[in-house]
Amino acid sequence: MKHSKKTGAATASSISRRRFLTQGSSTLCTAALISGGVLTSSRRAWSAPKIKMRLSISTKRGWHSTDAAFSYFPDLVKEMTNGEMEIQPFAGGSLGGVDVPGTEGCVNGLWEFATCAATNFSNFTSAFRATELPYIFLTKEDTYRAIDGAPGQYISGEVEKVGLKLLQVHDYGFRNYFNNVRPVHTPADMKGQKVRTSYSPIEIAIIESQGANPTPVSWAEVIPSLAQGVVDGTGNADDLIQASGQYEVLKYATETKYMYTYNNLVMNKDAYDGLPADFQNVIDEASRQTVAWQREQATQAVEEAWKIMGEKGIERYTPTAEEMDLFVKATKPVWDNNVKEGEADPALVKQILEMQDRSIDEIFKG
């Protein structure tokens, strides 16, 4: 089935951050109410000197709603503190590298903030692995409830153990399968294909369980690897495929929705704890505002992405219920091998499923 969704929605990078700041009955920059009532006016006298911090961003500036949010966040913090706190963003891995090295620098206190996709966070903690399990979530709303609720609190606690404070979890969306070989309707169609994956052990296991040969490739090398035939396909969220330009070297897409992924903004825990309470509250409130904004833009970005990719000629296939069942059941070994202590925590997995009135047995029944 070949089709593309059309929408007139603006891309996330074209949304005016200034417009967002001034929406609503009260303007954030003049009356931002921080939890506990610490900040009640933009003109209050701050108890600390001007603070400057740095943010290592993995993605390129302006190409995706997550990147737009990572630029939006420093602007919001500056507005809320009347310039008393400034966060300088360094995009495209220009400060320390992409994801893992950038986050390592944050852990070691070389800079205060960093971004890292959940699929690459396994280098620091296994806390996210439960959320990466194939088909553990059915809708975005399910993921939001988990991340905003008790499962998210547990993950935040585990992240703190490695010296980081988890401030923001951004919506990367469901990963689908794209390739250059043939239309994929069932796992049998993936057999023999070399598929680019992240370095997530869970994603590698998913792609292998569905019949393909997983090939971890760094983000910067995905396009040349596809163009040169080093890999035949890749899995990722639709808007990431479009925004990164990978769709230019791809032909077929299949909506397998095999896992849900996030992009995270973290802060060095010691740096956060060393801030006066006023500034901590600003960081917390600005993070909540940024996450809400990014989620809204992410949904619009997927619609816009398929308008662009459909016009390019990417063939998009939505599996039937019977075909999707084959994709789901093929991943049972992933659950069997990874739902255990030290990997995808069994108690966390159970909690996430119970929030959706689901169970492991129901996922793989029949």
Side-chain angles (χ1 to χ4, degrees):
M1 180 175 67
K2 178 181 176 182
H3 62 282
S4 64
K5 296 180 181 177
K6 296 183 181 288
T7 177
T11 60
S13 60
S14 68
I15 301 298
S16 167
R17 293 192 293 273
R18 180 69 60 182
R19 184 181 68 194
F20 181 85
L21 284 170
T22 57
Q23 285 177 341
S25 59
S26 62
T27 304
L28 288 174
C29 65
T30 59
L33 298 178
I34 304 304
S35 55
V38 175
L39 177 58
T40 59
S41 170
S42 66
R43 299 300 177 190
R44 68 154 288 155
W46 288 87
S47 57
K50 190 169 186 177
I51 296 174
K52 290 186 177 181
M53 296 185 171
R54 295 184 294 173
L55 164 58
S56 174
I57 303 174
S58 295
T59 53
K60 295 180 181 179
R61 184 179 298 277
W63 71 277
H64 187 263
S65 63
T66 55
D67 173 66
F70 293 141
S71 297
Y72 171 78
F73 171 66
D75 288 351
L76 184 55
V77 169
K78 187 175 181 179
E79 291 278 357
M80 286 181 165
T81 64
N82 295 309
E84 291 298 314
M85 176 181 283
E86 290 187 5
I87 300 171
Q88 184 177 4
F90 292 81
S94 59
L95 181 66
V98 173
D99 273 5
V100 175
T103 304
E104 285 176 343
C106 186
V107 170
N108 294 325
L110 300 181
W111 38 84
E112 292 80 12
F113 299 88
T115 70
C116 187
T119 48
N120 292 321
F121 226 87
S122 57
N123 289 270
F124 306 98
T125 176
S126 62
F128 281 98
R129 289 191 185 173
T131 68
E132 295 176 17
L133 287 168
Y135 308 105
I136 192 169
F137 296 115
L138 295 179
T139 69
K140 282 190 176 186
E141 289 70 28
D142 291 333
T143 70
Y144 297 163
R145 281 192 292 271
I147 290 299
D148 295 344
Q153 293 174 10
Y154 169 81
I155 292 171
S156 294
E158 293 299 299
V159 170
E160 288 193 4
K161 292 179 182 179
V162 300
L164 296 170
K165 184 170 181 63
L166 181 60
L167 295 174
Q168 300 172 27
V169 179
H170 290 187
D171 179 359
Y172 253 174
F174 285 102
R175 291 197 170 210
N176 291 317
Y177 181 58
F178 292 74
N179 83 98
N180 283 320
V181 178
R182 66 179 75 89
V184 169
H185 295 186
T186 69
D189 297 323
M190 296 176 64
K191 186 174 182 179
Q193 292 192 32
K194 294 174 292 183
V195 180
R196 181 269 171 181
T197 68
S198 65
Y199 289 88
S200 162
I202 295 288
E203 184 175 27
I204 291 170
I206 293 171
I207 295 300
E208 186 174 33
S209 74
Q210 294 182 334
N213 300 322
T215 306
V217 174
S218 67
W219 182 251
E221 296 300 317
V222 175
I223 291 179
S225 295
L226 287 166
Q228 297 166 17
V230 175
V231 292
D232 302 309
T234 185
N236 223 315
D238 299 337
D239 53 336
L240 285 174
I241 294 289
Q242 182 273 315
S244 65
Q246 293 174 26
Y247 76 102
E248 296 280 0
V249 289
L250 289 164
K251 297 178 181 177
Y252 309 103
T254 307
E255 294 184 278
T256 56
K257 296 184 177 181
Y258 64 87
M259 69 187 297
Y260 197 89
T261 53
Y262 314 89
N263 202 10
N264 305 308
L265 186 143
V266 294
M267 184 176 183
N268 179 277
K269 184 67 164 53
D270 289 340
Y272 178 88
D273 290 343
L275 290 173
D278 288 351
F279 289 100
Q280 289 180 351
N281 288 334
V282 166
I283 292 293
D284 293 343
E285 178 63 14
S287 290
R288 284 191 287 270
Q289 295 285 350
T290 301
V291 167
W293 181 84
Q294 189 275 331
R295 287 176 178 177
E296 179 181 346
Q297 307 315 314
T299 298
Q300 296 179 8
V302 171
E303 296 175 355
E304 180 67 15
W306 268 111
K307 177 182 178 182
I308 295 170
M309 291 193 292
E311 292 173 351
K312 171 66 168 54
I314 301 291
E315 293 188 18
R316 182 185 188 187
Y317 183 74
T318 302
T320 66
E322 293 76 14
E323 290 167 341
M324 183 59 77
D325 194 49
L326 295 175
F327 283 107
V328 173
K329 288 181 178 176
T331 65
K332 190 174 187 303
V334 181
W335 288 69
D336 293 341
N337 295 331
N338 287 279
V339 181
K340 58 186 177 183
E341 297 294 337
E343 299 293 336
D345 184 83
L348 183 58
V349 170
K350 184 173 184 290
Q351 186 178 51
I352 291 172
L353 289 175
E354 286 180 346
M355 292 178 72
Q356 304 172 62
D357 294 322
R358 300 168 68 211
S359 68
I360 295 178
D361 289 341
E362 289 174 354
I363 294 174
F364 300 107
K365 66 183 177 181

